[in-house]
Amino acid sequence: MSSSTKVSALDMPDVPMGQLPEHLHLQRTRVVCKADAPIHTEGIQYSGAYASIGVDNSLGPNKFCKNFKTEVVRLTEDEIEFDMVGIDASLANAFRRILIAEVPSMAIEKVLMVNNTSVIADEVLAHRLGLVPLNADPRLFEYLSENDTPNERNTIVYKMDVSCKKGGSRVTVKSDQLKWLPNGSELQMTTYDSSAKAKSYTSFSCSQDSMPEFSKKPLGVRFDDIILAKLGPGQVIELEAHAVKGMGKVHAKWSPVATAWYRMLPEVVILKEVKGDDAEKLVKKCPVGVFDIEDLGNGEKKAVVANSRTCTLCRECVRGVNEELVELRRVKDHFIFTIESTGAFSPEELFMKAVKILEEKCDRVISELS
């Protein structure tokens, strides 16, 4: 807070020392969303901003641990929604960026086209295959560098061989037609030396299905019904695909989340009582059911806030005459976080991995500083 806006305790005799007045508390903890634009969007980071009225604005580990909490609101096989309270937007964004870009996963990197007479070009089909989520745990694999040989520890091999008979009906090629080859590549490298022994594209010392970590769970695809192409009569797709371990910061196909996003907790406040027909109009203005009608008896009714969490900030309730009646706010330190997994990990596992990666980053910074 600049010196021109600093408030002295002498100017507010009714405010106890160590307590912020209501308007400053609102400015510090809420974003107020007006009909045209939000205000109070910047956080007040200066530790001595309210020193003149005895309020400590500093942040320390003990204070953070006391205020921070998480609560799971919704959890399914592929999606989780939870609240994170008591953190800054920068920290919430750090988790989002780590989930998208730094949690490793498996994805198809190399596609060897044997025959493709479909209408889809080779490079387009290869790109579509790269985006198919694989049912493979990346923790069981090693990274494949430029100098490494593809083997059972760093590569998964899939095969696709689909054709449409001449005179037959069109064939839909789906992801379930990618078949896992536990023994590695079945294709031989082209060589110009007739005396040289033909080599495979991979060098597996053993079959992957004989390894304990893979025997219980075949390395297939996560979803069987993803449409990859459609074949007309006489058309063929024959290929081999090699999947390796990578990160989303290299290519989006390695991102383990379909989406990871957050929003500040909405807070809808009715400043003045809205009764009668005005209450009905206010309820109808909101498309997501934030408001409801409360029966006061004797034929009277008023508008109340029923579920502010569902507010999408469409601002319909604050446009026109309602702007002085309703105020839309966002809580600055309360974030609704949503993670949707592509399937290799459960959504709660993904978040724990993001926390671990952030912890490792902090440890590196501390060690460098010391």
Side-chain angles (χ1 to χ4, degrees), residues 248-315:
K249 61 184 177 182
V250 178
H251 194 284
K253 65 186 177 185
W254 278 301
S255 181
V257 294
T259 182
W261 62 283
Y262 61 88
R263 62 190 178 106
M264 286 187 286
L265 178 72
E267 186 178 76
V268 183
V269 180
I270 297 178
L271 303 176
K272 301 176 183 178
E273 281 195 346
V274 183
K275 297 183 177 180
D277 293 339
D278 291 336
E280 295 280 1
K281 291 177 182 178
L282 180 60
V283 171
K284 290 178 181 178
K285 272 196 170 187
C286 182
V288 292
V290 171
F291 301 99
D292 200 359
I293 297 294
E294 180 182 337
D295 190 359
L296 301 176
N298 298 324
E300 291 189 5
K301 52 190 175 183
K302 71 173 183 178
V304 294
V305 178
N307 189 5
S308 60
R309 189 183 180 92
T310 62
C311 177
T312 59
L313 201 60
C314 67
R315 292 188 174 95

Side-chain angles (χ1 to χ4, degrees), residues 187-360:
L187 300 179
Q188 303 296 321
M189 290 184 180
T190 303
T191 176
Y192 295 100
D193 186 355
S194 58
S195 62
K197 184 179 179 181
K199 294 183 178 180
S200 170
Y201 283 91
T202 59
S203 179
F204 280 30
S205 59
C206 65
S207 176
Q208 286 178 328
D209 58 3
S210 66
M211 300 168 67
E213 55 265 44
F214 303 134
S215 59
K216 296 180 181 179
K217 185 179 180 182
L219 300 174
V221 295
R222 180 65 178 84
F223 304 102
D224 295 333
D225 56 350
I226 299 174
I227 297 175
L228 300 174
K230 291 192 176 182
L231 302 181
Q235 293 181 344
V236 177
I237 292 179
E238 184 181 354
L239 57 84
E240 193 174 271
H242 296 187
V244 298
K245 185 176 180 178
M247 292 187 184
K249 61 184 177 182
V250 178
H251 194 284
K253 65 186 177 185
W254 278 301
S255 181
V257 294
T259 182
W261 62 283
Y262 61 88
R263 62 190 178 106
M264 286 187 286
L265 178 72
E267 186 178 76
V268 183
V269 180
I270 297 178
L271 303 176
K272 301 176 183 178
E273 281 195 346
V274 183
K275 297 183 177 180
D277 293 339
D278 291 336
E280 295 280 1
K281 291 177 182 178
L282 180 60
V283 171
K284 290 178 181 178
K285 272 196 170 187
C286 182
V288 292
V290 171
F291 301 99
D292 200 359
I293 297 294
E294 180 182 337
D295 190 359
L296 301 176
N298 298 324
E300 291 189 5
K301 52 190 175 183
K302 71 173 183 178
V304 294
V305 178
N307 189 5
S308 60
R309 189 183 180 92
T310 62
C311 177
T312 59
L313 201 60
C314 67
R315 292 188 174 95
E316 286 300 318
C317 60
V318 296
R319 299 188 195 277
V321 296
N322 291 330
E323 191 167 357
E324 300 300 323
L325 303 177
V326 179
E327 188 169 80
L328 300 181
R329 302 172 183 170
R330 291 291 187 269
V331 183
K332 289 183 179 180
D333 67 343
H334 188 147
F335 295 91
I336 302 171
F337 213 103
T338 305
I339 302 171
E340 184 181 338
S341 171
T342 57
F345 292 116
S346 64
E348 61 269 29
E349 281 182 311
L350 284 172
F351 182 69
M352 293 307 296
K353 287 183 175 298
V355 172
K356 186 65 177 176
I357 291 172
L358 184 60
E359 182 183 355
E360 292 170 357

Side-chain angles (χ1 to χ4, degrees), residues 108-116 122 125-126 129 150 155 157-161 178 181 184-190 199-202 237-243:
I108 292 173
E109 167 69 356
K110 182 186 292 184
V111 178
L112 306 175
M113 292 289 180
V114 178
N115 191 12
N116 177 23
D122 291 356
L125 180 57
L129 289 167
T155 305
V157 181
Y158 297 94
K159 178 181 179 180
M160 177 181 285
D161 189 357
L178 276 170
L181 299 179
S185 176
E186 295 179 348
L187 300 179
Q188 303 296 321
M189 290 184 180
T190 303
K199 294 183 178 180
S200 170
Y201 283 91
T202 59
I237 292 179
E238 184 181 354
L239 57 84
E240 193 174 271
H242 296 187

Side-chain angles (χ1 to χ4, degrees), residues 39-54:
I39 59 173
H40 309 324
T41 56
E42 295 184 359
I44 301 171
Q45 305 295 343
Y46 173 47
S47 60
Y50 309 108
S52 61
I53 52 177

